[in-house]
Amino acid sequence: MKKIALVALVAATLCGCGQKDSDTIKMITEATFPPYEFLRGQEIVGIDVEICRAVAQKLGKKFSCDTVDFDSVIPAVISGKAHLAAAGITVTEDRKKNVDFSDPYVKTGIVVIYKKDNPFTDKAQLKGRRIGVQAGTTSEAFVTDELKQEPERAKSPAEAVAALKAGRVEFVIADVDPAKNCVKGEESLALSDFITSEEYAIAIKKGQPELLQTINETIAEIKADGRLAQWVKAYTEEADKLKEL
Ligand code: GLN
């Protein structure tokens, strides 16, 4: 009996979440991105976590969530380690080649974080400057593709801002919400207006029209019944109270 149970356990582990009989929807994220995902003690919480939990509920499945570096989030759904990738992921043409995106649930963009004694004026000023970004993000793509230079890559927006404060970079580029969180209480730092216009959506492995439809229905429902707005408010308030991430 014991042996059979062990074999079943090993098989379940090896098959991972690609298995049809999996009773758990696995979300993959990168939990340094408040208010979308951040750590409350050991627990990963945030707007994206609630959206994915609602998808699991609609499917009648259990829910789990894991965190990895941002540049490993999309690979995790491509390889089948997770079902749903949600990490404030911007829909881009490049990413669409590798994953399917749900309908967007937020309109947003990236901003420049600067020191007030070295004010940011316009994009042209960024050329040739040392710029900090979170690795694998649209902020990194802005520096490599638009400015045609190499950024200083950090593991999180907060780590990039620590480099700015320490003088290792002159500017940081990040999504507006985590950027706001990073400058809160920092008298010497300020934020620019949007330098891009972006939308967040959930990414899944290609070729799953039924799952995509369920995700889109869930997004429509949480927008219509006010849950999404309520999560945005609650997690923005909670994230505002966090200092170090
Ligand atoms: N929205 C940005 C992107 O998709 C950053 C996301 C993040 O750092 N979690 O690249």
Side-chain angles (χ1 to χ4, degrees), residues 30 33 37 70 87-90 95 134 136-139 157 175 198 200:
E30 190 278 310
F33 202 74
E37 38 270 325
F70 185 72
I89 301 174
T90 301
R95 290 172 179 163
Q134 182 178 18
T137 61
T138 46
S139 298
D175 290 42
E198 306 188 8
Y200 294 164

